[in-house]
Amino acid sequence: MTKPRVAVLISGRGSNMMSLIEAAAAPGFPVEIAVVISNRPDAHGLARAQACNIPTRSLDHKAFPDRAAFDAALDAVLEEEQVTLVCLAGFMRLLTSGFTQKWAGRMINIHPALLPSFKGLHTHERALAEGVKIHGATVHFVTAEMDVGPIIMQAAVPVLEADTPDTLAARVLAQEHVIYPAALRLVAEGRARLDGARVAIDEFEITPPALVVPPAP
Ligand code: GAR
């Protein structure tokens, strides 16, 4: 049986992309990573995907007159590649509402914060500045508004007294790599269903929809 074809969209180093590629390589994972697309031709993740024999496409956003033209080209690539699910993995570009509507329920994103806190950029710096004691990452369905959308899975990590943005980012990133493949599996298997503004999780047996990672000893 052929598996649903997933596109992973990146802009940079692609560590979350790698976590999806590695998960999908395991027997029994319900999707195939069909293509990796970057809006930056120099994204390091492109070479990493190629090293795993995943087809890549580069769509330089600077070559398009506006967001609508870029999104139309992106949509054309997704159709051409017969993609049914899209994973944004460090894809640092706003998408038009037409595009997000077309892919509603079929496009997910990972964000390095416990949404709805700390939408946008520099989440780790802002978490430290606010003095929060718990931080984390969220996988959610993409809607027209940036970093807003029904939450599929979250991981929470402690914020330690000695943390810098880099040490906190590393702790969060390790959990991103756990929850993104797990959330993709739930969506692909039809076990994470959109239910209005929230996500209903069916028959949850394998990984909890929320991970709470204990502080380091
Ligand atoms: C990740 O931390 C991801 O959560 C974040 O960018 C990083 C990309 O790293 N995404 C966002 O901030 C989107 N709002 P990666 O390229 O190594 O996966």
Side-chain angles (χ1 to χ4, degrees):
M1 203 181 75
T2 58
K3 294 179 178 182
R5 290 169 62 81
V6 169
V8 182
L9 273 50
I10 63 168
S11 300
R13 71 189 159 179
S15 73
N16 277 290
M17 171 205 78
M18 285 305 299
S19 77
L20 298 178
I21 289 174
E22 281 162 14
F29 200 80
V31 303
E32 173 193 351
I33 307 299
V35 62
V36 168
I37 306 171
S38 173
N39 67 310
R40 293 189 179 276
D42 60 350
H44 179 48
L46 287 173
R48 297 176 83 180
Q50 284 155 11
C52 300
N53 294 319
I54 306 287
T56 60
R57 300 281 284 260
S58 158
L59 272 185
D60 186 351
H61 63 269
K62 295 197 196 83
F64 294 87
D66 53 28
R67 284 188 192 283
F70 174 82
D71 286 5
L74 180 57
D75 185 61
V77 172
L78 296 174
E79 293 295 353
E80 194 182 308
E81 295 283 349
Q82 299 182 313
V83 160
T84 53
L85 273 174
V86 179
C87 293
L88 308 184
F91 184 68
M92 306 309 270
R93 218 182 135 69
L94 294 175
L95 295 162
T96 56
S97 61
F99 185 88
T100 55
Q101 265 157 34
K102 172 167 175 190
W103 289 91
R106 299 185 294 153
M107 179 159 59
I108 63 179
N109 178 46
I110 187 149
H111 182 70
L114 290 173
L115 292 174
S117 293
F118 306 120
K119 300 170 184 131
L121 298 175
H122 309 300
T123 55
H124 310 303
E125 286 87 340
R126 288 158 56 211
L128 288 174
E130 293 286 352
V132 298
K133 305 304 181 204
I134 295 172
H135 187 43
T138 303
V139 181
H140 64 96
F141 282 107
V142 176
T143 54
E145 209 179 327
M146 187 191 65
D147 298 333
V148 175
I151 292 170
I152 302 162
M153 193 175 286
Q154 293 186 302
V157 302
V159 179
L160 305 182
E161 207 51 45
D163 267 333
T164 64
D166 285 349
T167 60
L168 184 53
R171 193 175 308 119
V172 170
L173 190 66
Q175 299 312 314
E176 293 184 38
H177 298 161
V178 174
I179 62 172
Y180 210 179
L184 173 58
R185 175 190 278 279
L186 283 180
V187 172
E189 291 177 344
R191 290 158 63 208
R193 291 175 298 102
L194 272 174
D195 177 15
R198 60 190 297 284
V199 173
I201 308 280
D202 286 343
E203 296 172 45
F204 201 82
E205 304 131 13
I206 301 165
T207 317
L211 300 179
V212 179
V213 181

